[in-house]
Amino acid sequence: MSSETSGSVTLLDELLPEYAFRSRYSRTIAADPPTVWASLDEIPRWRLPVTGLLMGVRTLGAKRLRSGPPTLATVDGVEQVRGAVAKFWRLKPAVAPIPNPAAFTGFTEPGWAKAAMSVRLTARGSGTEVVVETRVQPTSSEARRRFAPYWWLIKLGGAGLIRLELLSALAWTAERKTRTCNKPANA
């Protein structure tokens, strides 16, 4: 499957070009790409209540991963990809040690699923299109069979809500910053 951004290859395409499961959400934000990129690290936690609730349920109140999966690759201001190799369908998912992007792309041990999530920015006029895309590639037919019900459960149960909430909170943060920066000095 190929990239949807003007024919160019994305980091996500390089790290997980083949996948069995995919979700993609996008939103155009009324702020320039540098402001949107900076805002990714400035979203207030209170703007993500659904995410906090669902992650708490997923971890059964256990210690949460504050930053999510490790970053696999970044082009500052353009795209960041985070990913993990795990048995996501388990109540307490087993996670394979992936020390670097090459280990992620080269991982082929049967019985696992490779998952990567990308946040990608593209300038659109005076705004920025933000695409959040998740791809998952099981490493065997057994892993695919086990992962499929989990995928449909999380798609129905909140993964999409988390992505939409992220885009909404990002828009709020970046557009607020843009309005503050563009306010006249005597206002």
Side-chain angles (χ1 to χ4, degrees):
M1 309 218 172
S2 64
S3 170
E4 297 176 22
T5 56
S6 63
S8 63
V9 175
T10 67
L11 292 176
L12 186 59
D13 292 330
E14 293 173 4
L15 291 162
L16 199 57
E18 295 181 15
Y19 48 90
F21 303 91
R22 174 183 180 247
S23 68
R24 183 182 185 278
Y25 299 87
S26 66
R27 179 173 179 155
T28 299
I29 296 175
D32 63 10
T35 301
V36 174
W37 187 261
S39 296
L40 280 166
D41 293 327
E42 299 171 5
I43 297 170
R45 283 183 106 71
W46 61 267
R47 296 292 307 179
L48 302 168
V50 173
T51 301
L53 174 67
L54 292 175
M55 293 309 294
V57 169
R58 173 66 174 115
T59 60
L60 300 174
K63 180 182 171 189
R64 291 186 222 166
L65 293 174
R66 291 177 193 251
S67 60
T71 300
L72 297 173
T74 301
V75 173
D76 282 332
V78 178
E79 183 179 15
Q80 181 180 79
V81 180
R82 293 174 172 258
V85 177
K87 296 181 180 184
F88 298 99
W89 51 88
R90 292 183 175 176
L91 187 57
K92 291 186 176 184
V95 179
I98 303 298
N100 56 51
F104 179 84
T105 57
F107 190 94
T108 59
E109 183 180 325
W112 297 81
K114 295 170 30 170
M117 185 180 95
S118 168
V119 176
R120 188 171 51 251
L121 279 56
T122 305
R124 297 278 186 240
S126 61
T128 303
E129 180 186 33
V130 180
V131 175
V132 178
E133 183 175 350
T134 303
R135 295 179 183 177
V136 180
Q137 179 61 36
T139 58
S140 65
S141 57
E142 176 195 350
R144 183 183 176 121
R145 182 180 52 77
R146 288 180 177 220
F147 182 79
Y150 171 76
W151 177 256
W152 295 114
L153 176 67
I154 65 168
K155 276 191 77 161
L156 294 173
L161 292 175
I162 288 171
R163 297 331 184 256
L164 292 170
E165 183 177 66
L166 169 65
L167 289 169
S168 176
L170 180 59
W172 180 87
T173 304
E175 290 170 357
R176 185 169 184 249
K177 185 185 289 191
T178 297
R179 283 191 304 273
T180 302
C181 291
N182 292 336
K183 207 180 255 188
N186 58 1

Short mmCIF file of all heavy atoms in Angstrom, two decimals, residues 55-118:
data_model
loop_
_atom_site.label_atom_id
_atom_site.label_comp_id
_atom_site.label_asym_id
_atom_site.label_seq_id
_atom_site.Cartn_x
_atom_site.Cartn_y
_atom_site.Cartn_z
N MET A 55 -7.28 4.56 28.77
CA MET A 55 -5.96 3.99 29.10
C MET A 55 -5.97 3.43 30.52
O MET A 55 -5.35 2.42 30.79
CB MET A 55 -4.85 5.02 28.91
CG MET A 55 -4.65 5.43 27.46
SD MET A 55 -4.46 4.05 26.30
CE MET A 55 -2.92 3.36 26.86
N GLY A 56 -6.71 4.08 31.42
CA GLY A 56 -6.84 3.56 32.78
C GLY A 56 -7.56 2.22 32.80
O GLY A 56 -7.16 1.29 33.51
N VAL A 57 -8.61 2.10 31.99
CA VAL A 57 -9.32 0.82 31.89
C VAL A 57 -8.42 -0.24 31.27
O VAL A 57 -8.33 -1.37 31.75
CB VAL A 57 -10.62 0.98 31.05
CG1 VAL A 57 -11.22 -0.36 30.71
CG2 VAL A 57 -11.62 1.86 31.80
N ARG A 58 -7.69 0.14 30.22
CA ARG A 58 -6.81 -0.81 29.53
C ARG A 58 -5.73 -1.35 30.45
O ARG A 58 -5.38 -2.52 30.40
CB ARG A 58 -6.15 -0.14 28.30
CG ARG A 58 -5.10 -0.96 27.61
CD ARG A 58 -5.71 -2.21 26.97
NE ARG A 58 -4.76 -2.93 26.18
CZ ARG A 58 -4.33 -4.16 26.47
NH1 ARG A 58 -4.76 -4.79 27.54
NH2 ARG A 58 -3.48 -4.76 25.68
N THR A 59 -5.20 -0.49 31.32
CA THR A 59 -4.12 -0.93 32.21
C THR A 59 -4.65 -1.36 33.57
O THR A 59 -3.88 -1.65 34.47
CB THR A 59 -3.09 0.21 32.41
OG1 THR A 59 -3.76 1.34 32.98
CG2 THR A 59 -2.43 0.59 31.10
N LEU A 60 -5.99 -1.38 33.71
CA LEU A 60 -6.64 -1.77 34.96
C LEU A 60 -6.09 -0.99 36.15
O LEU A 60 -5.88 -1.53 37.23
CB LEU A 60 -6.49 -3.28 35.19
CG LEU A 60 -7.10 -4.17 34.10
CD1 LEU A 60 -6.77 -5.63 34.35
CD2 LEU A 60 -8.60 -3.98 34.04
N GLY A 61 -5.82 0.29 35.91
CA GLY A 61 -5.35 1.15 36.98
C GLY A 61 -3.88 0.99 37.29
O GLY A 61 -3.35 1.66 38.17
N ALA A 62 -3.19 0.12 36.60
CA ALA A 62 -1.76 -0.08 36.84
C ALA A 62 -0.99 1.12 36.33
O ALA A 62 -1.54 2.01 35.69
CB ALA A 62 -1.28 -1.35 36.14
N LYS A 63 0.30 1.12 36.58
CA LYS A 63 1.15 2.22 36.11
C LYS A 63 0.98 2.36 34.60
O LYS A 63 1.15 1.42 33.86
CB LYS A 63 2.60 1.91 36.46
CG LYS A 63 3.56 2.98 36.02
CD LYS A 63 4.98 2.57 36.34
CE LYS A 63 5.94 3.54 35.71
NZ LYS A 63 7.31 3.08 35.81
N ARG A 64 0.63 3.56 34.18
CA ARG A 64 0.43 3.82 32.76
C ARG A 64 1.72 4.21 32.09
O ARG A 64 2.61 4.77 32.70
CB ARG A 64 -0.55 4.97 32.57
CG ARG A 64 -1.94 4.64 32.96
CD ARG A 64 -2.82 5.79 32.59
NE ARG A 64 -3.74 5.99 33.68
CZ ARG A 64 -4.46 7.06 33.81
NH1 ARG A 64 -4.37 8.05 32.97
NH2 ARG A 64 -5.29 7.19 34.81
N LEU A 65 1.79 3.94 30.80
CA LEU A 65 2.90 4.43 30.01
C LEU A 65 2.62 5.89 29.73
O LEU A 65 1.66 6.23 29.05
CB LEU A 65 3.01 3.65 28.68
CG LEU A 65 3.39 2.20 28.80
CD1 LEU A 65 3.31 1.55 27.42
CD2 LEU A 65 4.77 2.04 29.38
N ARG A 66 3.44 6.78 30.27
CA ARG A 66 3.18 8.21 30.14
C ARG A 66 3.32 8.68 28.70
O ARG A 66 2.59 9.52 28.25
CB ARG A 66 4.11 9.00 31.04
CG ARG A 66 3.79 8.79 32.49
CD ARG A 66 4.77 9.54 33.35
NE ARG A 66 4.63 9.09 34.71
CZ ARG A 66 4.11 9.81 35.67
NH1 ARG A 66 3.67 11.01 35.41
NH2 ARG A 66 4.02 9.33 36.88
N SER A 67 4.31 8.18 28.00
CA SER A 67 4.56 8.70 26.67
C SER A 67 4.16 7.74 25.56
O SER A 67 4.37 8.02 24.41
CB SER A 67 6.05 9.05 26.54
OG SER A 67 6.81 7.89 26.74
N GLY A 68 3.60 6.61 25.91
CA GLY A 68 3.19 5.65 24.90
C GLY A 68 4.38 4.87 24.37
O GLY A 68 5.45 4.83 24.99
N PRO A 69 4.21 4.24 23.22
CA PRO A 69 5.29 3.44 22.65
C PRO A 69 6.51 4.31 22.33
O PRO A 69 6.39 5.52 22.14
CB PRO A 69 4.68 2.87 21.36
CG PRO A 69 3.23 3.10 21.46
CD PRO A 69 3.01 4.23 22.41
N PRO A 70 7.67 3.69 22.23
CA PRO A 70 8.87 4.46 21.92
C PRO A 70 8.83 5.07 20.52
O PRO A 70 8.20 4.53 19.61
CB PRO A 70 10.00 3.44 22.04
CG PRO A 70 9.36 2.11 21.96
CD PRO A 70 7.94 2.27 22.41
N THR A 71 9.52 6.18 20.37
CA THR A 71 9.63 6.82 19.07
C THR A 71 10.59 6.03 18.20
O THR A 71 11.71 5.73 18.60
CB THR A 71 10.13 8.27 19.23
OG1 THR A 71 9.18 8.98 20.04
CG2 THR A 71 10.26 8.96 17.88
N LEU A 72 10.13 5.68 17.00
CA LEU A 72 10.96 4.94 16.05
C LEU A 72 11.69 5.87 15.09
O LEU A 72 12.81 5.59 14.68
CB LEU A 72 10.10 3.95 15.26
CG LEU A 72 9.43 2.84 16.07
CD1 LEU A 72 8.48 2.05 15.18
CD2 LEU A 72 10.47 1.93 16.70
N ALA A 73 11.02 6.96 14.70
CA ALA A 73 11.64 7.89 13.74
C ALA A 73 10.91 9.22 13.80
O ALA A 73 9.70 9.27 14.06
CB ALA A 73 11.57 7.32 12.33
N THR A 74 11.66 10.28 13.54
CA THR A 74 11.08 11.63 13.52
C THR A 74 11.76 12.46 12.44
O THR A 74 12.98 12.42 12.30
CB THR A 74 11.29 12.34 14.88
OG1 THR A 74 10.68 11.57 15.91
CG2 THR A 74 10.68 13.74 14.87
N VAL A 75 10.98 13.21 11.71
CA VAL A 75 11.46 14.31 10.90
C VAL A 75 10.81 15.52 11.54
O VAL A 75 9.58 15.72 11.42
CB VAL A 75 11.06 14.18 9.41
CG1 VAL A 75 11.43 15.44 8.65
CG2 VAL A 75 11.70 12.96 8.77
N ASP A 76 11.60 16.29 12.29
CA ASP A 76 11.06 17.42 13.05
C ASP A 76 10.18 18.31 12.19
O ASP A 76 10.55 18.69 11.08
CB ASP A 76 12.18 18.25 13.67
CG ASP A 76 12.75 17.61 14.92
OD1 ASP A 76 12.00 16.86 15.59
OD2 ASP A 76 13.93 17.83 15.23
N GLY A 77 9.01 18.59 12.72
CA GLY A 77 8.09 19.48 12.05
C GLY A 77 7.25 18.81 10.97
O GLY A 77 6.37 19.45 10.39
N VAL A 78 7.52 17.53 10.70
CA VAL A 78 6.82 16.85 9.61
C VAL A 78 6.11 15.58 10.06
O VAL A 78 4.91 15.41 9.85
CB VAL A 78 7.79 16.51 8.45
CG1 VAL A 78 7.08 15.76 7.33
CG2 VAL A 78 8.45 17.77 7.92
N GLU A 79 6.85 14.66 10.67
CA GLU A 79 6.26 13.36 11.02
C GLU A 79 7.01 12.73 12.17
O GLU A 79 8.23 12.83 12.27
CB GLU A 79 6.30 12.42 9.80
CG GLU A 79 5.65 11.08 10.05
CD GLU A 79 5.66 10.15 8.83
OE1 GLU A 79 6.42 10.43 7.87
OE2 GLU A 79 4.93 9.16 8.84
N GLN A 80 6.24 12.06 13.03
CA GLN A 80 6.83 11.25 14.09
C GLN A 80 6.11 9.91 14.08
O GLN A 80 4.89 9.85 13.95
CB GLN A 80 6.66 11.90 15.46
CG GLN A 80 7.28 11.06 16.57
CD GLN A 80 7.11 11.71 17.92
OE1 GLN A 80 6.05 11.64 18.52
NE2 GLN A 80 8.18 12.34 18.38
N VAL A 81 6.90 8.82 14.21
CA VAL A 81 6.33 7.49 14.25
C VAL A 81 6.75 6.81 15.55
O VAL A 81 7.94 6.76 15.87
CB VAL A 81 6.78 6.63 13.05
CG1 VAL A 81 6.16 5.22 13.12
CG2 VAL A 81 6.41 7.29 11.73
N ARG A 82 5.77 6.32 16.26
CA ARG A 82 6.01 5.52 17.47
C ARG A 82 5.54 4.11 17.18
O ARG A 82 4.62 3.91 16.39
CB ARG A 82 5.23 6.09 18.66
CG ARG A 82 5.71 7.46 19.09
CD ARG A 82 4.81 8.03 20.17
NE ARG A 82 5.37 9.24 20.70
CZ ARG A 82 6.02 9.32 21.86
NH1 ARG A 82 6.18 8.25 22.60
NH2 ARG A 82 6.52 10.47 22.26
N GLY A 83 6.18 3.14 17.82
CA GLY A 83 5.77 1.78 17.55
C GLY A 83 6.22 0.79 18.60
O GLY A 83 7.06 1.09 19.45
N ALA A 84 5.64 -0.39 18.50
CA ALA A 84 5.97 -1.48 19.41
C ALA A 84 5.65 -2.80 18.74
O ALA A 84 4.84 -2.87 17.81
CB ALA A 84 5.17 -1.36 20.70
N VAL A 85 6.29 -3.83 19.23
CA VAL A 85 5.98 -5.20 18.85
C VAL A 85 5.47 -5.87 20.11
O VAL A 85 6.16 -5.87 21.14
CB VAL A 85 7.21 -5.94 18.30
CG1 VAL A 85 6.85 -7.39 17.97
CG2 VAL A 85 7.76 -5.24 17.06
N ALA A 86 4.25 -6.38 20.05
CA ALA A 86 3.65 -6.93 21.27
C ALA A 86 2.59 -7.97 20.94
O ALA A 86 2.22 -8.16 19.77
CB ALA A 86 3.04 -5.81 22.10
N LYS A 87 2.14 -8.61 21.98
CA LYS A 87 0.97 -9.50 21.90
C LYS A 87 -0.15 -8.70 22.55
O LYS A 87 -0.51 -8.91 23.71
CB LYS A 87 1.26 -10.81 22.61
CG LYS A 87 2.39 -11.57 21.90
CD LYS A 87 2.70 -12.90 22.55
CE LYS A 87 3.84 -13.56 21.75
NZ LYS A 87 4.15 -14.89 22.24
N PHE A 88 -0.68 -7.75 21.79
CA PHE A 88 -1.63 -6.76 22.28
C PHE A 88 -2.91 -7.38 22.81
O PHE A 88 -3.59 -6.78 23.63
CB PHE A 88 -1.97 -5.76 21.17
CG PHE A 88 -0.80 -4.97 20.68
CD1 PHE A 88 -0.13 -5.34 19.52
CD2 PHE A 88 -0.35 -3.87 21.39
CE1 PHE A 88 0.96 -4.61 19.07
CE2 PHE A 88 0.73 -3.13 20.95
CZ PHE A 88 1.39 -3.50 19.79
N TRP A 89 -3.28 -8.53 22.32
CA TRP A 89 -4.55 -9.17 22.64
C TRP A 89 -4.57 -9.74 24.06
O TRP A 89 -5.61 -10.10 24.56
CB TRP A 89 -4.86 -10.27 21.63
CG TRP A 89 -3.71 -11.22 21.45
CD1 TRP A 89 -3.45 -12.35 22.17
CD2 TRP A 89 -2.66 -11.11 20.49
NE1 TRP A 89 -2.31 -12.95 21.72
CE2 TRP A 89 -1.80 -12.21 20.68
CE3 TRP A 89 -2.36 -10.18 19.49
CZ2 TRP A 89 -0.66 -12.41 19.91
CZ3 TRP A 89 -1.22 -10.39 18.73
CH2 TRP A 89 -0.39 -11.49 18.94
N ARG A 90 -3.44 -9.83 24.72
CA ARG A 90 -3.38 -10.34 26.09
C ARG A 90 -3.82 -9.26 27.08
O ARG A 90 -3.61 -8.07 26.84
CB ARG A 90 -1.96 -10.78 26.44
CG ARG A 90 -1.52 -11.99 25.67
CD ARG A 90 -0.15 -12.39 26.14
NE ARG A 90 0.28 -13.62 25.52
CZ ARG A 90 1.47 -14.16 25.70
NH1 ARG A 90 2.36 -13.56 26.49
NH2 ARG A 90 1.79 -15.28 25.12
N LEU A 91 -4.35 -9.68 28.22
CA LEU A 91 -4.74 -8.74 29.26
C LEU A 91 -3.54 -7.89 29.69
O LEU A 91 -3.64 -6.68 29.84
CB LEU A 91 -5.33 -9.48 30.46
CG LEU A 91 -5.94 -8.61 31.55
CD1 LEU A 91 -7.03 -7.70 31.00
CD2 LEU A 91 -6.49 -9.48 32.67
N LYS A 92 -2.39 -8.54 29.87
CA LYS A 92 -1.13 -7.84 30.11
C LYS A 92 -0.23 -8.16 28.91
O LYS A 92 0.43 -9.20 28.90
CB LYS A 92 -0.48 -8.31 31.41
CG LYS A 92 -1.23 -7.88 32.63
CD LYS A 92 -0.47 -8.24 33.88
CE LYS A 92 -1.20 -7.73 35.10
NZ LYS A 92 -0.43 -7.99 36.32
N PRO A 93 -0.24 -7.30 27.90
CA PRO A 93 0.49 -7.61 26.67
C PRO A 93 1.98 -7.83 26.89
O PRO A 93 2.62 -7.08 27.61
CB PRO A 93 0.27 -6.36 25.80
CG PRO A 93 -0.93 -5.72 26.36
CD PRO A 93 -0.92 -6.03 27.82
N ALA A 94 2.48 -8.91 26.29
CA ALA A 94 3.93 -9.13 26.26
C ALA A 94 4.49 -8.17 25.21
O ALA A 94 3.92 -8.02 24.14
CB ALA A 94 4.24 -10.57 25.88
N VAL A 95 5.59 -7.50 25.55
CA VAL A 95 6.20 -6.54 24.63
C VAL A 95 7.61 -7.00 24.31
O VAL A 95 8.39 -7.31 25.20
CB VAL A 95 6.24 -5.12 25.26
CG1 VAL A 95 6.90 -4.13 24.32
CG2 VAL A 95 4.83 -4.66 25.61
N ALA A 96 7.92 -7.08 23.02
CA ALA A 96 9.26 -7.49 22.58
C ALA A 96 10.21 -6.30 22.70
O ALA A 96 9.83 -5.17 22.40
CB ALA A 96 9.21 -7.97 21.14
N PRO A 97 11.44 -6.56 23.13
CA PRO A 97 12.41 -5.45 23.18
C PRO A 97 12.82 -5.04 21.76
O PRO A 97 13.30 -5.85 20.99
CB PRO A 97 13.59 -6.05 23.95
CG PRO A 97 13.45 -7.53 23.78
CD PRO A 97 12.00 -7.82 23.58
N ILE A 98 12.59 -3.78 21.46
CA ILE A 98 12.92 -3.23 20.15
C ILE A 98 13.85 -2.04 20.39
O ILE A 98 13.37 -0.93 20.64
CB ILE A 98 11.64 -2.81 19.37
CG1 ILE A 98 10.67 -3.96 19.23
CG2 ILE A 98 12.01 -2.21 18.02
CD1 ILE A 98 11.20 -5.14 18.44
N PRO A 99 15.16 -2.24 20.31
CA PRO A 99 16.09 -1.17 20.67
C PRO A 99 16.24 -0.07 19.63
O PRO A 99 16.73 1.01 19.95
CB PRO A 99 17.42 -1.91 20.86
CG PRO A 99 17.29 -3.13 20.00
CD PRO A 99 15.83 -3.50 20.02
N ASN A 100 15.81 -0.32 18.38
CA ASN A 100 16.00 0.68 17.34
C ASN A 100 15.06 0.41 16.17
O ASN A 100 14.44 -0.66 16.10
CB ASN A 100 17.47 0.70 16.87
CG ASN A 100 17.92 -0.66 16.40
OD1 ASN A 100 17.28 -1.30 15.58
ND2 ASN A 100 19.05 -1.12 16.93
N PRO A 101 14.94 1.35 15.23
CA PRO A 101 14.04 1.15 14.09
C PRO A 101 14.36 -0.07 13.25
O PRO A 101 13.45 -0.74 12.77
CB PRO A 101 14.21 2.44 13.28
CG PRO A 101 14.66 3.46 14.27
CD PRO A 101 15.50 2.70 15.25
N ALA A 102 15.64 -0.38 13.09
CA ALA A 102 16.01 -1.57 12.29
C ALA A 102 15.49 -2.85 12.95
O ALA A 102 15.06 -3.77 12.26
CB ALA A 102 17.53 -1.63 12.11
N ALA A 103 15.53 -2.90 14.27
CA ALA A 103 15.00 -4.07 14.98
C ALA A 103 13.50 -4.18 14.78
O ALA A 103 12.96 -5.28 14.67
CB ALA A 103 15.35 -3.98 16.47
N PHE A 104 12.82 -3.03 14.73
CA PHE A 104 11.37 -3.03 14.49
C PHE A 104 11.06 -3.56 13.10
O PHE A 104 10.26 -4.48 12.93
CB PHE A 104 10.81 -1.62 14.66
CG PHE A 104 9.32 -1.53 14.40
CD1 PHE A 104 8.41 -1.84 15.39
CD2 PHE A 104 8.85 -1.13 13.15
CE1 PHE A 104 7.05 -1.76 15.15
CE2 PHE A 104 7.49 -1.05 12.90
CZ PHE A 104 6.58 -1.37 13.91
N THR A 105 11.70 -2.98 12.09
CA THR A 105 11.39 -3.40 10.71
C THR A 105 11.82 -4.83 10.44
O THR A 105 11.16 -5.54 9.68
CB THR A 105 12.04 -2.47 9.67
OG1 THR A 105 13.44 -2.44 9.88
CG2 THR A 105 11.47 -1.06 9.75
N GLY A 106 12.89 -5.28 11.08
CA GLY A 106 13.40 -6.62 10.85
C GLY A 106 12.77 -7.70 11.70
O GLY A 106 13.05 -8.88 11.52
N PHE A 107 11.90 -7.34 12.63
CA PHE A 107 11.30 -8.32 13.54
C PHE A 107 10.35 -9.24 12.77
O PHE A 107 9.42 -8.77 12.12
CB PHE A 107 10.54 -7.61 14.66
CG PHE A 107 10.11 -8.53 15.76
CD1 PHE A 107 10.89 -8.69 16.89
CD2 PHE A 107 8.93 -9.26 15.67
CE1 PHE A 107 10.52 -9.54 17.92
CE2 PHE A 107 8.54 -10.11 16.68
CZ PHE A 107 9.33 -10.26 17.81
N THR A 108 10.60 -10.55 12.84
CA THR A 108 9.77 -11.51 12.10
C THR A 108 9.34 -12.71 12.94
O THR A 108 8.70 -13.62 12.41
CB THR A 108 10.52 -12.03 10.86
OG1 THR A 108 11.73 -12.67 11.28
CG2 THR A 108 10.81 -10.90 9.87
N GLU A 109 9.68 -12.73 14.22
CA GLU A 109 9.33 -13.89 15.04
C GLU A 109 7.81 -14.10 15.03
O GLU A 109 7.05 -13.18 15.31
CB GLU A 109 9.81 -13.67 16.47
CG GLU A 109 9.56 -14.86 17.38
CD GLU A 109 10.05 -14.63 18.79
OE1 GLU A 109 11.08 -13.94 18.97
OE2 GLU A 109 9.38 -15.12 19.72
N PRO A 110 7.36 -15.31 14.70
CA PRO A 110 5.92 -15.57 14.64
C PRO A 110 5.24 -15.37 16.00
O PRO A 110 5.85 -15.55 17.05
CB PRO A 110 5.84 -17.04 14.22
CG PRO A 110 7.16 -17.34 13.59
CD PRO A 110 8.16 -16.47 14.30
N GLY A 111 3.96 -14.99 15.94
CA GLY A 111 3.17 -14.88 17.16
C GLY A 111 3.05 -13.49 17.74
O GLY A 111 2.51 -13.32 18.84
N TRP A 112 3.53 -12.49 17.03
CA TRP A 112 3.53 -11.12 17.52
C TRP A 112 2.81 -10.21 16.52
O TRP A 112 2.52 -10.62 15.40
CB TRP A 112 4.96 -10.61 17.69
CG TRP A 112 5.75 -11.36 18.70
CD1 TRP A 112 6.39 -12.57 18.52
CD2 TRP A 112 5.97 -11.00 20.05
NE1 TRP A 112 7.01 -12.96 19.68
CE2 TRP A 112 6.77 -12.01 20.64
CE3 TRP A 112 5.60 -9.90 20.83
CZ2 TRP A 112 7.18 -11.97 21.97
CZ3 TRP A 112 6.01 -9.85 22.15
CH2 TRP A 112 6.79 -10.87 22.71
N ALA A 113 2.59 -8.96 16.94
CA ALA A 113 2.03 -7.94 16.03
C ALA A 113 2.91 -6.70 16.13
O ALA A 113 3.25 -6.26 17.22
CB ALA A 113 0.59 -7.61 16.40
N LYS A 114 3.27 -6.18 14.97
CA LYS A 114 4.05 -4.93 14.89
C LYS A 114 3.06 -3.80 14.66
O LYS A 114 2.30 -3.84 13.70
CB LYS A 114 5.05 -5.00 13.74
CG LYS A 114 6.11 -6.05 13.95
CD LYS A 114 7.01 -6.38 12.78
CE LYS A 114 7.33 -5.37 11.78
NZ LYS A 114 8.40 -5.79 10.84
N ALA A 115 3.07 -2.80 15.57
CA ALA A 115 2.14 -1.68 15.46
C ALA A 115 2.93 -0.38 15.40
O ALA A 115 3.89 -0.20 16.16
CB ALA A 115 1.19 -1.66 16.64
N ALA A 116 2.52 0.50 14.52
CA ALA A 116 3.16 1.82 14.41
C ALA A 116 2.08 2.87 14.23
O ALA A 116 1.10 2.66 13.52
CB ALA A 116 4.13 1.85 13.24
N MET A 117 2.26 4.01 14.92
CA MET A 117 1.35 5.14 14.80
C MET A 117 2.14 6.36 14.38
O MET A 117 3.16 6.69 14.97
CB MET A 117 0.63 5.44 16.11
CG MET A 117 -0.40 6.55 15.94
SD MET A 117 -1.30 6.95 17.44
CE MET A 117 -0.32 8.33 18.01
N SER A 118 1.65 7.02 13.36
CA SER A 118 2.30 8.20 12.81
C SER A 118 1.43 9.43 13.03
O SER A 118 0.21 9.36 12.90
CB SER A 118 2.52 8.00 11.31
OG SER A 118 2.89 9.20 10.68
#
